[in-house]
Each structure stands twice: as structure tokens, then as C-alpha cells.
């Protein structure tokens, strides 16, 4: 056999090979497309998985996008910071390595309705189920429970939990958004922690009734669920996404949330607020103290005037967003009215100290003894100190006048002045017989405080018990402790004794007439019913106002507009005043309100200030839910077993006498567990019928 | 004319390259999960296969047969097709960027698509002339595209059906391909020869 054919074959292939490669070589010259060499470098740096998670068609397209500036160096969602650093190096761009990761979050409580997921004629995919009658669920924002998100997640970050709801593993989730795109009911969305801190209830979001009524918009069912699952610290972390003072709020909040609690239609509202206190107490007494995450420093300086709840809240959230707030406080300590108004037996100072310290510990400097209008002005803060924004949260610190003769006599104190004296540990001298005038929290606090100082206390209020603005529980406790109530009575004149001190109070009886603007019936004096009683001291607690006199002294362009109720005028949703860099929050904007409201407005101001200092337009929160949705406030529910509400133990009346020990002792662990199971884990329209049955029917 | 028509029908339906000749199964399984991808792949195959049919016919006639080297047919065709695809890719990138963006990512996959080589070899086997070769290549590729698109349509529905775990993915893909092949067998006898 000759060897020639082999030689010919080899020669032929060799020749053909040469021809082909020459052809390609020429072609690559002729058809050369000017391609940025950086594209190749970037592509090199990418993982080459071609997963499409970034939203571009493969790694090459992603590389082109990066070079074209359409995507950042962190384009590769799967690669994480290491890859981002390599990409950044390839294009010579500094990478934001600490940029906050986006993760998918679930916005559906699911509850019992998820179990109805098998009713879709055998369909096993949420997208398909949604095609038939929109998933056939009562709620258009609900999880359909068929796990499409799980099957589409390229990174295996989603598991379907025991209740057939997706559970997102935040360690695996890279925030590629595939699940978000595939969920037909838009139950999933992507967010960073900062975005979550700045979020306000939305109309297109599932918001349970309690959270709709909470002025701070705390995710109540979620923290209760954490308590139920034995994770009180996670509960505190959830609360602190909205409220930086859970210890204080857990003690003094009038809990409007409980008025909306759906469980009311079964037995009584869930003891939401004391569950909050329970979790927060665990953090303080048992630890470990939460490590609050703070975003990277932005170096934006913001002056926060007033270290009350509003100021603390603004400073807390601005700090968590990475800005540098500084608090200016005229008093020697932080806390505002929670320290100098609310007495020790309701909110012990050492608890308040600890709570304020947590905010300071995030890196918030506090300048004590600095009063706006005396030690600095808005102008000086802006021009000399160079603050980029200013938040005014100075509260309402002046007692309103009674407008009756003799109110300036020695022995007559403003209620606030009296309480501030207590708070400063410099109590004002008090006689045996004390009369408190007013029906709000301040009046009751004055009365109960005087009682503890050994006085015989009478409270005078011009309407009836029903109209008293004080928290109901406060009124009840004051009665039990022995405060005497005189309803439908108003002071007319105060007489002095021969030393010139107040000694007699003349008051007139009242009756209720027509309802006034606030809907409460207006008290009208009954002519000739004047009565005189002997007194040693009179505490006037008929209301507080803000002292805004400094505003008028500012230069023209730094003069903040005020209203006729002596509050600052500002946009309701952004709290921005007529001066673009000046914001306000708390009592000085709303008038005397509650701590939780001050905290809520404080966070709102923080959001607006964040937009302002980062150069964005200061707009209202998108699609904000401004008034409770009717479908959330359903009037009745069925199928839930009764279980009485837990009440926490408190000191007996005898134990309270003549001391300032904290009266309420907090829920016991067993009680808290039980109470947390009473929560129905409501959504906008749904609720869990069975959470409790499962646990207690057999016990 | 009717000869061409018959040839096209035969290539698309009766002797469908995928479902009757079982060539090109790997892109068939690989690129049929989504309709968009299936369409793209189908178009790319039509484009490349038509060109490849023409060029390999020329190589066969003017090189292999002329120099009596027909025994090198397979390896030479592979080389030629691979070069062609690379060439087309470069050419498209330069001259037809929109088309390149649509088909670009499929081209490298075609280099190793056995359906392309198969059709080129069939052209020679059936002793087609140049025009016949081109038409047959085009029609076969169209058949490939048709089967792929139909298959993708079926597969998209898998996503929303209940499938036993053991059959998920390629397993059910192959079963489905088999059933489709059975259906296509129904065309046998429509065209004689
Ligand atoms: C006696 C009393 C009892 C209350 N009980 C309850 C209750 O049980 N539950 C409840 O929810 N709410 C209660 N409140 C209301 C609650 O305390 C207030 O709504 C809340 O503290 C308002 O917070 P804020 O930050 O707006 O103002 P504040 O708490 O008043 O804080 C304002 C801060 O600004 C400082 N400041 C004032 N002027 C200046 C200035 N010019 N320069 C620098 N700093 C200044 C003050 O020193 C203070 O620290 C009570 C209020 C009082 C007075
Ligand atoms: S959970 Fe959603 S966002 Fe996170 S990796 Fe999976 S698909 Fe992407
Ligand atoms: S039962 Fe729970 S979730 Fe429902 S309204 Fe009450 S506290 Fe909120």
C-alpha cells in the first residue's frame, strides 16, 4: 500500500487549513469593528456565567453596558463585591464597595388564604394562576403560594416555607430581581435597608389596620411574630426601623394602634404596646445590645434643634442613613418632655438615659445647654457653622395662661414648670392641699406627682370625665391612687393670704352646651354657682404652647413662618418650611401631641432632609397611604377562638404611696408568649384564624 | 416548479431534519426553553445553512471531486462550515449590526450543529445540483426552525404544569420530541421518493 494518499490527504487538509485561517485573518482585518478594548477587559473580569441576572443579554452585553456607562461596576449581581472590584479596576472607576446590597422582600402576610392555593384547577404556577380570575383571592396583593419565585430564582435564594410563603435567604439573594419580575401579584420587591428606613405606608402595599393607625407606622404583626418565635431582639430591630425609643414608647404610648386591632371583634385588642416594652426590656436588661447598622458616612452635616423624641428620631434616622446630625439641646439632658414632663413612676430616668445613649452611641454629638435664639440662630448655624440643613424639634415648653385673676401669685405654678422641677431633681416647694387645673396628661401627671409628694390633690376640669384628653389608663390610675376629681368646674379667681401667697381658689360650675369645632361639647358657666376652696398650691396644666419668639428675631431670609396656633408652618408630607433647608417635626409642628407622633414626624423629616442634602427634589413619599383604607377597617371577623388579653402586673396602691417607683412592671415571659399568639397576623384584609387554636386547644 | 415545491414540503414536513432524521438534537433541547430563543436560533440556522449548502456544494464539486479527494468530505466540510460561521459572524458584526445583535449569540453554537453538516452531506448524497442544494438547504433549515418553535411552544407550557420530579427538564423534553416525531411521521407517503 502506498503512502501517497496519506501524504496527499495531510497536504490537502494542511492547505485548506492555511487557506481558511488566512481568510479569517484577512476577514478579521477587513471587518474589524472598533471595539473599546475595555469591553474585553471588563468581560474578562466578569464571571462569564451568562446568567442574565443583571438584565443584560449575557456577560458581553453587560461589559458593553459598563463601558458605555449604562451600568455600574457592580453590574454583576451574581459576582458580588470581589467581581465588582475587578470590573472597577478594569475601567479605572472607583467602586462603591460598601454600597448597600438590595435584597428581595416579601410584602404579604399570606395567612390562611395561602392554603387555598390548590384550588386553581391543578395549576402549579403563580403566573398561570393569576391569569385565571387574578388568582381567585380576595386580596389582589396576596401571595399565591405556588412558588414561581422559587423556581425562577437563579441563585436558589428562595424556599417555600411551611405556610407556603416564600422565605428569602438574604445571604444567597443577590438582588437580581428575577423573582420580582415574575411575581404576578407584585408581592416581592427589592429594597435596601436605607430605602426601608425611609419608606412610608403606601396605597399599593399590604398594611394591617394596626400599622395604618400607628403614627410611627411600625410593622406590628412582624415584631409580634418575632416575639412569638422567641426572637425578641429581632423584634426590637424591626421596631427600630421606625421608632428609636421602644423602651419609652412601650411605657407611655396611648397606643392608637390597639384601637384598630382586629382582635377587638373577638374579645379585646392585642396588648401591642406592652409586647413592645417586653422585647425592648429584654434588649436592655438581658442584652446583647443591638448593633444598629449605619450606612457609609456621607459627611452631610445637619443641625437638629431639640433633643426630645422628634429630634432624637430625626438624628437617629439621619445617622443610620450615613449623615452627620448634631443635636443642640438647651437642657442638661436628652429626652425632652419624656424626661422633664413624664414623671419617674411612669418612665424611670435610668431607662430613658439608656435609650437616649443608644442614639448618641451611633455617633451623634450633642451640644447641651445650647438654646436656639440665645446661643445660636438659624442664620449662625447656616452661615457660621455651615450646616446643610436644620431641623427644628423644640416642642411645646410654655404653659398656657388660665386667664383668671391672681394666677401670678406665689404658690401658683405652671404644670410644666412643676414637672420640669421634678425632672431636674429640684422640686418646687409644695404644701398640703394642691389643686390641679386641666384634663390632659400634664394635669394627671401633676396630680399623681403631687400625691406622691404627700399632698391632698384635687383635679379641676371644666368638662366631664368622658371629654378628658388624658390617656384613659392615666385617669383610672389617678382615681385609684386617690386624686379627687371635680368635673364641670373652672377657676375664676385666686385669693392671696396675708403673706401674699395663694390661699383660696374661687371656681364656677359649668354645664355642657353645643359641640364646638373639635366636636366636644362646649362648657358654659352656670351663673352664680361660684364656690371657694382653701388651697396651698395651684398647678395650672390647661395646655402648652411653643415659644417661637426667636423666629421673629431672625434676619428676613431666615425667618421661619409660623401659624396662629404658635406652631411652625410646613408641608404636611415633607415637613419642609418656607426656608428650603429648614425642616420641623414633633410638637412644635403638630401642637402638643404624643411621643409616637413626634417620632413618626421625626422620621418623616429625616426622609425629607435626606432627599435635600443628597441633592434630590424634596417630594412627598410616593403613593402615600394618607387615611386608613376602608377594606382594612372591616367591622367584624369570624372563626377566631376567644382568649383574654394579658395585663401586666403593677404595684399595689400601698406600694406606690410616697415614692416614685415604676408602677407598671412589664409582661412576664409566659404572658408575653401567650399574648403574642393572640395577634392574628393581619394583612390589609386577611387575618389568621388559627394561630391560637393550634397552640392552645389541646393544652 | 412543482419539483421545488415537493422538495420544500418534503424537507420541511416529511423528512424534517429534526423529527425524521434526528439531527441537531442538542440545540433542539438546549434552545427551546423560551420562544424568543427558539425563534432566534431558527433564523440563525436558516441563514447559515443556506450559505453552507451553497459553499459545501462548491467545495465538493470544484475541489474534492476535481482532485479525487471525496474520502476527505466529512472533515473538509466541518472545517469549511466552521470557517464559514466565523466569517459570517465577523461580516455581520461589521455590515449588519442589528442582525448581528439578534442572531449573534447563536452563531457560535451553529458551528457544531450536526444538522448543518448533515444537510450538506445529504445534498451530495442526493446528487443535487447547485440550485437544488441551495433550495434543499434552505427548506431543511426552515423545517428545523419550525420544529424548534413548535417545541418551544410546548415547553413553555411545561412551566405551568405539574410534572413528576423525575421527568423534569431534558427527560420530558426527549419524550415530547419523540411524540412530535410520531406526529410528523404522519406526513410520510405524502411525497413519493
Ligand atoms: C406632662 C406630660 C405628659 C405626657 N405624657 C405623654 C404620654 O403619656 N404619652 C405620650 O405619648 N405623650 C405624652 N406627652 C407628650 C409628649 O411628651 C410629647 O408629645 C413629645 O415629647 C413631643 O416631642 P418633641 O420632640 O416634639 O418635643 P419635646 O419632647 O418637648 O422636646 C423638645 C426639646 O427641645 C428642647 N428645646 C426647646 N426649645 C429649645 C431651643 N430654643 N433651643 C434648643 N433646644 C430647645 C427642649 O429642651 C426639648 O429637649 C406628655 C407631655 C407632657 C408635657
Ligand atoms: S430572591 Fe429574587 S432577587 Fe434574590 S437572587 Fe433570587 S430571584 Fe434574584
Ligand atoms: S391582631 Fe395583630 S396584626 Fe391584627 S390588628 Fe391586632 S395587632 Fe395588628
Amino acid at each position: 500500500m502506498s503512502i501517497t494518499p496519506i501524504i496527499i490527504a495531510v497536504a490537502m487538509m494542511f492547505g485548506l487549513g492555511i487557506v481558511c485561517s488566512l481568510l479569517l485573518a484577512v476577514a478579521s482585518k477587513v471587518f474589524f469593528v472598533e471595539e473599546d478594548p475595555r469591553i474585553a477587559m471588563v468581560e474578562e473580569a466578569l464571571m462569564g456565567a451568562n446568567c442574565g441576572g443583571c438584565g443584560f443579554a449575557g456577560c458581553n452585553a453587560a461589559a458593553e453596558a459598563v463601558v458605555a456607562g449604562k451600568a455600574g461596576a457592580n453590574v454583576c449581581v451574581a459576582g458580588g463585591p470581589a467581581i465588582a472590584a475587578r470590573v472597577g479596576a478594569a475601567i479605572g472607576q472607583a467602586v462603591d464597595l460598601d454600597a448597600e446590597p438590595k435584597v428581595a422582600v416579601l410584602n404579604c402576610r399570606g395567612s390562611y388564604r395561602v392554603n387555598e392555593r390548590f384550588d386553581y384547577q391543578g395549576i402549579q404556577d403563580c403566573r398561570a394562576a393569576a391569569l385565571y380570575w387574578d388568582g381567585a383571592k380576595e386580596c389582589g396583593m396576596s401571595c399565591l403560594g405556588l412558588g414561581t419565585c422559587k423556581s425562577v430564582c437563579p441563585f436558589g435564594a428562595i424556599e417555600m416555607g411551611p405556610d407556603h410563603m416564600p422565605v428569602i435567604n438574604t445571604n444567597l439573594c443577590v438582588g437580581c430581581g428575577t423573582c420580582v419580575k415574575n411575581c404576578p401579584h407584585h408581592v416581592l420587591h427589592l429594597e435596601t435597608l436605607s430605602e426601608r428606613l425611609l419608606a412610608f405606608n403606601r396605597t399599593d402595599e399590604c398594611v394591617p389596620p394596626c400599622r395604618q393607625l400607628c403614627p410611627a407606622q411600625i410593622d406590628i404583626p412582624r415584631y409580634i411574630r418575632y416575639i412569638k418565635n422567641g426572637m425578641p431582639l429581632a423584634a426590637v430591630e424591626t421596631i427600630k426601623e421606625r421608632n428609636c425609643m421602644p423602651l419609652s414608647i412601650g411605657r407611655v404610648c396611648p397606643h392608637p394602634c390597639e384601637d384598630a386591632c382586629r382582635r377587638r371583634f373577638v374579645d379585646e385588642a392585642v396588648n401591642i404596646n406592652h409586647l413592645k416594652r417586653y422585647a425592648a426590656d429584654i434588649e436592655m436588661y438581658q442584652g446583647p445590645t443591638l448593633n444598629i447598622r449605619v450606612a457609609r458616612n456621607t459627611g452631610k452635616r445637619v443641625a437638629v434643634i431639640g433633643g426630645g423624641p422628634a429630634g432624637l428620631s430625626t438624628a437617629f434616622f439621619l445617622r443610620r442613613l450615613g449623615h452627620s446630625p448634631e443635636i443642640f439641646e438647651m437642657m442638661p439632658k436628652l429626652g425632652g418632655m419624656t424626661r422633664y414632663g413624664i414623671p419617674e413612676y411612669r418612665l424611670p430616668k435610668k431607662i430613658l438615659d439608656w435609650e437616649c445613649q443608644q442614639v448618641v452611641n451611633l455617633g451623634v454629638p450633642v451640644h447641651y445647654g445650647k438654646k436656639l435664639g440665645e446661643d445660636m440662630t438659624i442664620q449662625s448655624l447656616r452661615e457660621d457653622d455651615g450646616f446643610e440643613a436644620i431641623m427644628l424639634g423644640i416642642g411645646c415648653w410654655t404653659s398656657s395662661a388660665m386667664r383668671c385673676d391672681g394666677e401670678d401669685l406665689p404658690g401658683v405654678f405652671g404644670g410644666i414648670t412643676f414637672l420640669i422641677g421634678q425632672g431636674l431633681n429640684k422640686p418646687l416647694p409644695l404644701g398640703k392641699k394642691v389643686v390641679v387645673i386641666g384634663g390632659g396628661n400634664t394635669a394627671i401627671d401633676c396630680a399623681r406627682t403631687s400625691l406622691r409628694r404627700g399632698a391632698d390633690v384635687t383635679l379641676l376640669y371644666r368638662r366631664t370625665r368622658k371629654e378628658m384628653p388624658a390617656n384613659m389608663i392615666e385617669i383610672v390610675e389617678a382615681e385609684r391612687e386617690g386624686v379627687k376629681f371635680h368635673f364641670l368646674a373652672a377657676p375664676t379667681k385666686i385669693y392671696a393670704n396675708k403673706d401674699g401667697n395663694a390661699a383660696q381658689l374661687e371656681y364656677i360650675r359649668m354645664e355642657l352646651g353645643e359641640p364646638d369645632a373639635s366636636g366636644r361639647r362646649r362648657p358654659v358657666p352656670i351663673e352664680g354657682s361660684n364656690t371657694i376652696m382653701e388651697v396651698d398650691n395651684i398647678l395650672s396644666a390647661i395646655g402648652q404652647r411653643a415659644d417661637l419668639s426667636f423666629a421673629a428675631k431672625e434676619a428676613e431670609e431666615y425667618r421661619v413662618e409660623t401659624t396662629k396656633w404658635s406652631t411652625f408652618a410646613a408641608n404636611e408630607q415633607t415637613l419642609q418650611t418656607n426656608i428650603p433647608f429648614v425642616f420641623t417635626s414633633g410638637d412644635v409642628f403638630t401642637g402638643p401631641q404624643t411621643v409616637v407622633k413626634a417620632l413618626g414626624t421625626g422620621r418623616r423629616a429625616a426622609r425629607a432632609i435626606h432627599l435635600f442634602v443628597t441633592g434630590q427634589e424634596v417630594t412627598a413619599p410616593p403613593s402615600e397611604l394618607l387615611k386608613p383604607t376602608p377594606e382594612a377597617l372591616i367591622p367584624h371577623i369570624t372563626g377566631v377562638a376567644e382568649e383574654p388579653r394579658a395585663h401586666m402586673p403593677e404595684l399595689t396602691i400601698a406600694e406606690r404611696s410616697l415614692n416614685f417607683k415604676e408602677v407598671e412592671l412589664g409582661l412576664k415571659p409566659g404572658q408575653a408568649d401567650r399574648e403574642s399568639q393572640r395577634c392574628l397576623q393581619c394583612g390589609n384584609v386577611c387575618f389568621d384564624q388559627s394561630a391560637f387554636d393550634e397552640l392552645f386547644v389541646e393544652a | 416548479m412543482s419539483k421545488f415545491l415537493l422538495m420544500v414540503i418534503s424537507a420541511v414536513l416529511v423528512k424534517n431534519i429534526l423529527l425524521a432524521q434526528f439531527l441537531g438534537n442538542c440545540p433542539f433541547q438546549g434552545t427551546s426553553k423560551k420562544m424568543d430563543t427558539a425563534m432566534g436560533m431558527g433564523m440563525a440556522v436558516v441563514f447559515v445553512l443556506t450559505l453552507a449548502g451553497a459553499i459545501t456544494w462548491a467545495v465538493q464539486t470544484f475541489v474534492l471531486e476535481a482532485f479525487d479527494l471525496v474520502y476527505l468530505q466529512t472533515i473538509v466540510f466541518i472545517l469549511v462550515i466552521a470557517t464559514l460561521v466565523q466569517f459570517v459572524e465577523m461580516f455581520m458584526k461589521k455590515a449588519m449590526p442589528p442582525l448581528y445583535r439578534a442572531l449573534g449569540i447563536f452563531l457560535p453554537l451553529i458551528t457544531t450543529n450536526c444538522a448543518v453538516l448533515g444537510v450538506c452531506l445529504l445534498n451530495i448524497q442526493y446528487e443535487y445540483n447547485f440550485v437544488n442544494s441551495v433550495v434543499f438547504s434552505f427548506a431543511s433549515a426552515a423545517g428545523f426552525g419550525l420544529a424548534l418553535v413548535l417545541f418551544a411552544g410546548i415547553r413553555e407550557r411545561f412551566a405551568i404544569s405539574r410534572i413528576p420530579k423525575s421527568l423534569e427538564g431534558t427527560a420530558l423534553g426527549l419524550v415530547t420530541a419523540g411524540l412530535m416525531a410520531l406526529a410528523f411521521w404522519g406526513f410520510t407517503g405524502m411525497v413519493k421518493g
Side-chain angles (χ1 to χ4, degrees):
Chain A
M1 193 187 161
S2 133
I3 202 161
T4 333
I6 300 180
I7 294 177
I8 294 178
V10 171
M12 164 70 195
M13 290 314 295
F14 186 73
L16 194 63
I18 298 265
V19 172
C20 287
S21 41
L22 276 179
L23 189 77
L24 287 180
V26 171
S28 73
K29 275 272 173 285
V30 174
F31 299 135
F32 180 73
V33 180
E34 203 55 55
E35 191 178 64
D36 199 322
R38 291 179 304 168
I39 295 182
M41 282 161 70
V42 171
E43 200 178 345
E44 185 88 332
L46 293 168
M47 294 172 92
N50 281 318
C51 67
C54 51
F56 295 100
C59 296
N60 179 267
E64 278 176 27
V66 171
V67 173
K70 285 186 209 134
N74 52 1
V75 63
C76 180
V77 292
I83 298 281
R86 273 166 54 187
V87 175
I91 53 171
Q93 172 189 318
V95 201
D96 202 350
L97 283 185
D98 317 320
E100 282 184 294
K102 273 192 190 290
V103 288
V105 284
L106 181 73
N107 171 37
C108 172
R109 306 235 168 265
S111 68
Y112 72 97
R113 292 162 314 124
V114 181
N115 289 321
E116 291 172 4
R117 74 200 185 290
F118 290 113
D119 289 347
Y120 306 121
Q121 311 180 340
I123 290 168
Q124 282 296 285
D125 181 273
C126 307
R127 289 164 296 191
L131 293 178
Y132 292 105
W133 315 291
D134 199 24
K137 289 210 162 174
E138 230 178 306
C139 170
M141 310 185 250
S142 68
C143 172
L144 294 168
L146 299 174
T148 294
C149 47
K150 176 188 171 190
S151 56
V152 298
C153 175
F155 301 97
I158 300 186
E159 279 303 322
M160 295 308 281
D163 51 356
H164 309 292
M165 302 264 289
V167 177
I168 296 148
N169 182 336
T170 45
N171 294 326
L172 293 178
C173 175
V174 300
C176 66
T178 313
C179 55
V180 178
K181 272 183 238 138
N182 281 287
C183 175
H185 265 194
H186 311 294
V187 169
L188 293 153
H189 62 276
L190 288 181
E191 69 183 11
T192 62
L193 180 63
S194 296
E195 282 164 356
R196 189 152 76 245
L197 294 178
L198 293 176
F200 282 82
N201 288 349
R202 297 171 61 107
T203 47
D204 54 0
E205 180 188 21
C206 171
V207 193
C210 46
R211 188 169 137 206
Q212 296 200 3
L213 284 231
C214 172
Q217 309 192 349
I218 301 171
D219 194 341
I220 291 162
R222 176 155 145 186
Y223 84 69
I224 297 188
R225 192 163 63 234
Y226 281 132
I227 295 176
K228 175 159 119 185
N229 296 341
M231 301 159 73
L233 291 180
V236 180
E237 197 167 357
T238 303
I239 297 167
K240 288 203 170 172
E241 285 176 8
R242 291 287 178 273
N243 170 345
C244 60
M245 305 181 80
L247 284 166
S248 310
I249 282 282
R251 285 171 167 77
V252 304
C253 192
H255 45 70
C257 54
E258 292 180 22
D259 297 341
C261 178
R262 226 166 251 168
R263 202 165 171 113
R264 261 160 44 250
F265 305 116
V266 182
D267 34 45
E268 275 178 280
V270 174
N271 199 337
I272 300 176
N273 197 38
H274 292 157
L275 282 172
K276 183 186 303 127
R277 166 177 173 172
Y278 170 77
D281 278 354
I282 289 185
E283 190 207 352
M284 179 175 152
Y285 289 118
Q286 298 172 16
T289 308
L290 275 184
N291 190 7
I292 298 287
R293 277 193 285 165
V294 170
R296 195 167 22 103
N297 279 339
T298 60
K300 305 279 181 200
R301 292 173 67 231
V302 179
V304 174
I305 317 298
L312 285 171
S313 177
T314 307
F316 177 79
F317 286 103
L318 284 175
R319 186 65 203 113
R320 289 192 74 175
L321 294 166
H323 305 305
S324 306
E326 292 176 30
I327 297 180
F328 292 82
E329 169 57 60
M330 67 175 182
M331 301 297 280
K333 283 189 166 176
L334 289 174
M337 275 305 169
T338 52
R339 177 181 300 277
Y340 298 109
I342 300 177
E344 171 83 14
Y345 61 87
R346 286 214 282 142
L347 174 56
K349 302 286 179 270
K350 77 172 204 297
I351 285 176
L352 188 62
D353 287 343
W354 192 85
E355 189 140 82
C356 296
Q357 193 56 40
Q358 300 309 305
V359 178
V360 175
N361 285 352
L362 292 182
V364 179
V366 187
H367 309 279
Y368 292 104
K370 294 274 181 254
K371 183 167 184 188
L372 184 66
E374 286 175 15
D375 303 300
M376 69 269 176
T377 59
I378 292 179
Q379 181 168 16
S380 75
L381 287 170
R382 175 75 171 183
E383 291 180 0
D384 307 341
D385 301 326
F387 285 103
E388 295 185 40
I390 297 172
M391 200 293 285
L392 305 174
I394 57 176
C396 294
W397 275 59
T398 323
S399 295
S400 306
M402 289 188 285
R403 284 190 233 104
C404 74
D405 285 345
E407 72 176 307
D408 300 325
L409 288 173
V412 182
F413 308 130
I416 293 295
T417 322
F418 172 72
L419 290 173
I420 292 177
Q422 291 295 131
L424 283 171
N425 244 337
K426 291 180 196 139
L428 300 180
L430 206 63
K432 208 66 217 128
K433 183 131 182 46
V434 174
V435 174
V436 177
I437 296 165
N441 277 324
T442 312
I444 304 266
D445 283 336
C446 288
R448 290 178 76 189
T449 300
S450 309
L451 209 64
R452 280 169 171 71
R453 288 186 55 190
D456 170 65
V457 186
T458 307
L459 188 143
L460 227 60
Y461 179 51
R462 58 195 182 126
R463 302 182 215 228
T464 69
R465 185 172 187 268
K466 212 170 80 218
E467 282 88 18
M468 282 181 82
N471 303 352
M472 196 30 122
I473 171 91
E474 289 295 301
I475 303 173
V476 174
E477 292 300 321
E479 281 169 346
R480 289 181 56 205
E481 287 170 9
V483 174
K484 286 173 237 141
F485 285 79
H486 251 32
F487 295 112
L488 291 167
T492 46
K493 196 165 168 138
I494 299 163
Y495 298 98
N497 59 14
K498 55 183 185 313
D499 308 329
N501 290 332
Q504 285 178 320
L505 172 71
E506 181 191 281
Y507 65 92
I508 190 165
R509 301 228 62 102
M510 314 286 274
E511 61 187 357
L512 291 182
E514 294 301 302
D516 64 5
S518 72
R520 296 186 302 179
R521 290 173 67 192
R522 191 193 305 273
V524 272
I526 307 174
E527 289 306 323
S529 64
N530 303 28
T531 322
I532 287 191
M533 68 173 166
E534 304 291 320
V535 294
D536 290 323
N537 289 103
I538 296 170
L539 305 180
S540 123
I542 58 164
Q544 291 107 258
R545 278 182 307 104
D547 174 13
L548 304 182
S549 53
F550 71 87
K553 294 184 218 134
E554 293 274 352
E556 181 77 44
E557 74 258 44
Y558 294 108
R559 206 169 293 157
V560 183
E561 246 172 60
T562 55
T563 68
K564 64 177 176 203
W565 302 282
S566 111
T567 59
F568 287 124
N571 179 309
E572 288 269 343
Q573 282 176 288
T574 63
L575 302 180
Q576 192 173 29
T577 65
N578 58 317
I579 305 172
F581 63 87
V582 178
F583 299 77
T584 181
S585 68
D587 281 0
V588 76
F589 171 69
T590 57
Q593 286 279 347
T594 55
V595 179
V596 67
K597 192 122 186 192
L599 292 170
T601 51
R603 187 172 71 92
R604 187 180 288 278
R607 172 187 171 275
I609 293 172
H610 170 76
L611 293 178
F612 183 80
V613 298
T614 52
Q616 303 170 62
E617 202 187 334
V618 181
T619 51
S623 359
E624 193 182 355
L625 182 70
L626 289 172
K627 53 175 192 285
T629 52
E631 64 269 28
L633 305 180
I634 46 173
H636 56 81
I637 59 174
T638 51
V640 182
E642 281 185 32
E643 175 67 32
R645 168 177 163 121
H647 293 280
M648 57 179 165
E650 47 186 45
L651 294 184
T652 62
I653 302 297
E655 283 168 326
R656 301 179 199 178
S657 133
L658 302 183
N659 65 53
F660 283 85
K661 280 191 218 147
E662 187 171 17
V663 169
E664 296 181 315
L665 302 175
L667 292 173
K668 297 211 174 69
Q671 275 185 307
D673 292 345
R674 213 176 164 79
E675 191 61 20
S676 62
Q677 275 141 26
R678 288 183 73 234
C679 173
L680 305 173
Q681 293 296 320
C682 303
N684 199 11
V685 295
C686 65
F687 56 90
D688 254 338
Q689 286 175 319
S690 58
F692 210 84
D693 304 356
E694 277 166 28
L695 284 139
F696 288 98
V697 160
E698 274 137 290
Chain B
M1 192 64 225
S2 74
K3 198 183 96 206
F4 283 127
L5 196 66
L6 274 183
M7 190 193 250
V8 169
I9 291 181
S10 155
V12 172
L13 296 177
V14 187
K15 289 190 198 153
N16 187 292
I17 187 89
L18 264 172
L19 297 171
Q21 322 251 9
F22 306 116
L23 288 171
N25 236 307
C26 99
F28 188 50
Q29 295 293 334
T31 59
S32 57
K33 290 220 184 71
K34 272 204 212 119
M35 192 53 96
D36 305 349
T37 331
M39 296 272 217
M41 187 65 182
M43 306 262 283
V45 168
V46 170
F47 188 79
V48 169
L49 192 44
T50 315
L51 269 177
I55 300 228
T56 49
W57 186 89
V59 170
Q60 172 76 16
T61 320
F62 301 121
V63 180
L64 299 182
E65 282 174 8
F67 297 100
D68 226 0
L69 289 168
V70 181
Y71 59 95
L72 284 176
Q73 194 189 43
T74 314
I75 188 164
V76 167
F77 276 19
I78 292 179
L79 189 62
V80 169
I81 293 172
T83 311
L84 172 72
V85 175
Q86 296 288 314
F87 184 83
V88 168
E89 192 182 344
M90 284 190 241
F91 175 75
M92 263 187 42
K93 201 168 180 178
K94 177 82 177 174
M96 300 175 270
L99 196 61
Y100 176 74
R101 245 172 274 131
L103 303 184
I105 55 168
F106 302 108
L107 288 174
L109 294 176
I110 297 177
T111 325
T112 52
N113 185 341
C114 55
V116 177
L117 181 62
V119 172
C120 295
L121 292 174
L122 283 177
N123 282 338
I124 311 300
Q125 212 173 327
Y126 295 154
E127 297 178 1
Y128 284 146
N129 63 19
F130 181 74
V131 179
N132 282 357
S133 288
V134 172
V135 172
F136 181 74
S137 303
F138 174 82
S140 297
F144 179 93
L146 176 73
L148 191 60
V149 166
L150 288 178
F151 190 50
I154 297 176
R155 274 197 115 173
E156 280 202 334
R157 300 204 180 183
F158 287 177
I160 57 172
S161 343
R162 223 186 303 193
I163 298 173
K165 190 98 201 135
S166 51
L167 283 183
E168 269 173 15
T170 315
L172 195 64
L174 288 172
V175 172
T176 315
L179 290 173
M180 285 177 72
L182 263 182
F184 269 71
W185 268 105
F187 294 115
T188 333
M190 251 177 71
V191 182
K192 283 209 194 74

